[in-house]
Amino acid sequence: MENTHRDDCLVTIVGAGPVGLCLGLGLARQGTEVLLLEKNPDTAEHSRAPAIWPATQEILADLGVIDQFLQQAITVPRLSLQDVDKQRTLFCAPLAQLSDITSYPQLLVLPQSDTEAILRDALLQQPTARLRFNCKVESVSQQQQGVQLSYTAPEGRRRAQCRIAVGCDGGKSLVREQIGAALEGKTYQAQAALADVDIEDSAHLPFPRLTTSPALAIGIRMTDNRWRLILPFAPGDSIPLDQRIEEAVQSLFGKPYHNVWQSEFRLHQRLSTLFSQGAIVLAGDAAHLNSPVGGQGMNAGIIDASLLGPAILAALDKGTDAPLHHYAQSRRDEIQSGVNRFTDKLTRILLWRQGRMIRLVLSLANMAMAVPPVRRRILKKMAMLT
């Protein structure tokens, strides 16, 4: 997969996650020479962000890859949250009712590893794209004629000269650090864990599934028998993660399971003080971090890429960085008032009194969904079509 052609190009993208791959694919489909540098040996191995909302599906259609996603993903036109403790539907979001404003009125559930693999394979088919793994960028500097990057590759130290550089290198972004920007915001007190588990003969079970016995846990099916568990917990909770996973599986499914992957993390809401400087731009988690509640983080990053691509093409065509700065300011404002505010509200609701009020809150929200204008507004917000 590694390519040893020359390093100079028009656009260099640091990071080959979903955001970097979408941006690179979009530019390459327009004939722009683009180089992607990824520090890891390949795309993601684990599921990470599995939710793909309608607005993102429209972008994937524009990139020519939506058919592969529809073939591999679980399609959810009616999102119905099941309360397994009380054997009832707690909240229902009929996304299919958005068919008048989108061609994809549904949620797609697909492990991020599969998302990245589809995008990677599509990118490698583009003659103007080069994708290099095992390449760790060490410095990014603005030059008179563009941007210079220094990186370590398997064959040694290398340099790349480009007109525009984009940091799609995640929450610990080196590119953001290099332009002197800070990721400001807050870290929530509560923590969370994720786990992917295989449960035999579970493909028929409705999802998402919720339990509060003995603690709040949510299960989302990602493939036939593989489920994502979401496990919020209070700071200082001394219960081992393996025990939390076992208790959640027994409450949600009552079946034997095999643990595939697990991770504990903190929840953040943060925004970079700068989205661009000169010909260096940020997108995705490098520019903004939001709580995973609502499943909008990866989607917001892919939307970044869809908006940044035309700005890059305009900057290259006009020979000015002005379109990049316009993208940076407008997108920063949109993220602050949009996805960050929305996911913050959802997170605070989820964590209110350590999740003990979630049934009441979701029941009230479900009552609100009975009012057509309110339902419409909520569905558009969830689908990221506002």
Side-chain angles (χ1 to χ4, degrees):
M1 235 175 257
E2 190 168 287
N3 194 313
T4 57
H5 290 176
R6 64 188 179 87
D7 295 322
D8 293 351
C9 60
L10 283 174
V11 181
T12 299
I13 298 171
V14 182
V19 180
L21 290 168
C22 281
L23 179 60
L25 179 58
L27 292 171
R29 282 169 57 90
Q30 296 297 319
T32 302
E33 187 184 34
V34 59
L35 169 67
L36 282 82
L37 300 173
E38 169 56 50
K39 66 180 180 181
N40 292 314
D42 205 338
T43 49
E45 296 181 8
H46 301 294
S47 60
R48 298 186 187 177
I52 304 174
W53 294 105
T56 304
Q57 294 171 52
E58 293 182 353
I59 294 168
L60 297 174
D62 291 339
L63 293 174
V65 293
I66 189 62
D67 288 345
Q68 294 94 308
F69 279 86
L70 293 174
Q71 289 166 9
Q72 296 187 35
I74 297 174
T75 302
V76 185
R78 184 180 180 86
L79 187 62
S80 184
L81 179 61
Q82 304 300 308
D83 183 345
V84 299
D85 299 337
K86 299 184 179 296
Q87 296 295 307
R88 62 171 180 166
T89 297
L90 194 55
F91 177 81
C92 184
L95 293 164
Q97 293 183 11
L98 297 175
S99 59
D100 61 322
I101 59 171
T102 177
S103 299
Y104 306 98
Q106 65 217 359
L107 171 67
L108 295 185
V109 181
L110 186 70
Q112 186 175 322
S113 52
D114 293 341
T115 290
E116 293 189 15
I118 292 171
L119 294 169
R120 176 200 63 201
D121 293 347
L123 181 76
L124 291 174
Q125 295 175 19
Q126 300 298 319
T128 60
R130 287 178 287 146
L131 173 56
R132 300 205 65 198
F133 291 105
N134 289 310
C135 290
K136 183 178 180 180
V137 175
E138 297 177 340
S139 68
V140 183
S141 59
Q142 187 80 49
Q143 307 286 318
Q144 189 171 4
Q145 299 300 320
V147 182
Q148 182 173 274
L149 300 92
S150 297
Y151 67 97
T152 303
E155 68 273 19
R157 296 180 65 86
R158 301 291 294 257
R159 293 185 184 274
Q161 188 76 29
C162 59
R163 171 68 181 83
I164 295 169
V166 186
C168 299
D169 50 340
K172 298 180 179 178
S173 170
L174 174 115
V175 178
R176 184 184 64 242
E177 177 186 301
Q178 295 280 290
I179 66 172
L183 200 58
E184 296 183 343
K186 66 181 178 182
T187 298
Y188 297 92
Q189 285 192 339
Q191 297 176 245
L194 299 178
D196 292 348
V197 295
D198 286 341
I199 300 174
E200 289 187 13
D201 191 30
S202 61
H204 66 286
L205 296 175
F207 73 97
R209 303 171 69 77
L210 176 144
T211 182
T212 58
S213 176
L216 176 61
I218 298 171
I220 301 172
R221 186 162 67 88
M222 295 188 297
T223 62
D224 283 350
N225 290 312
R226 179 160 296 178
W227 292 75
R228 156 66 54 81
L229 303 182
I230 304 169
L231 311 168
F233 61 95
D237 189 335
S238 60
I239 299 175
L241 178 54
D242 288 345
Q243 181 180 337
R244 285 200 296 271
I245 293 170
E246 182 175 356
E247 291 174 347
V249 170
Q250 292 310 310
S251 295
L252 289 169
F253 308 101
K255 293 173 176 283
Y257 71 99
H258 170 66
N259 194 357
V260 177
W261 171 80
Q262 63 189 48
S263 177
E264 294 186 64
F265 59 95
R266 300 300 299 271
L267 307 180
H268 303 277
Q269 182 199 339
R270 296 184 178 274
L271 195 65
S272 178
T273 51
L274 297 172
F275 272 33
S276 74
Q277 184 182 79
I280 305 172
V281 200
L282 304 176
D285 285 354
H288 48 85
L289 282 178
N290 59 273
S291 164
V293 178
Q296 295 199 340
M298 180 186 73
N299 293 265
I302 292 175
I303 294 172
D304 288 354
S306 73
L307 298 170
L308 178 54
I312 289 174
L313 295 175
L316 293 172
D317 180 56
K318 298 176 182 178
T320 173
D321 298 335
L324 305 179
H325 301 159
H326 176 73
Y327 155 83
Q329 187 58 57
S330 61
R331 187 59 179 154
R332 189 179 188 280
D333 292 344
E334 289 167 1
I335 290 292
Q336 188 169 29
S337 62
V339 64
N340 271 18
R341 180 176 294 177
F342 180 61
T343 55
D344 179 55
K345 288 180 180 178
L346 292 180
T347 303
R348 286 189 284 110
I349 289 170
L350 177 68
L351 300 178
W352 186 27
R353 298 187 64 183
Q354 299 181 10
R356 289 191 292 270
M357 305 301 293
I358 191 168
R359 281 193 178 86
L360 173 61
V361 171
L362 289 174
S363 295
L364 292 173
N366 205 44
M367 291 173 59
M369 293 289 278
V371 182
V374 176
R375 180 173 65 247
R376 180 79 165 181
R377 188 160 60 249
I378 294 173
L379 290 175
K380 288 174 67 176
K381 198 74 173 177
M382 291 176 63
M384 305 185 77
L385 292 168
T386 52

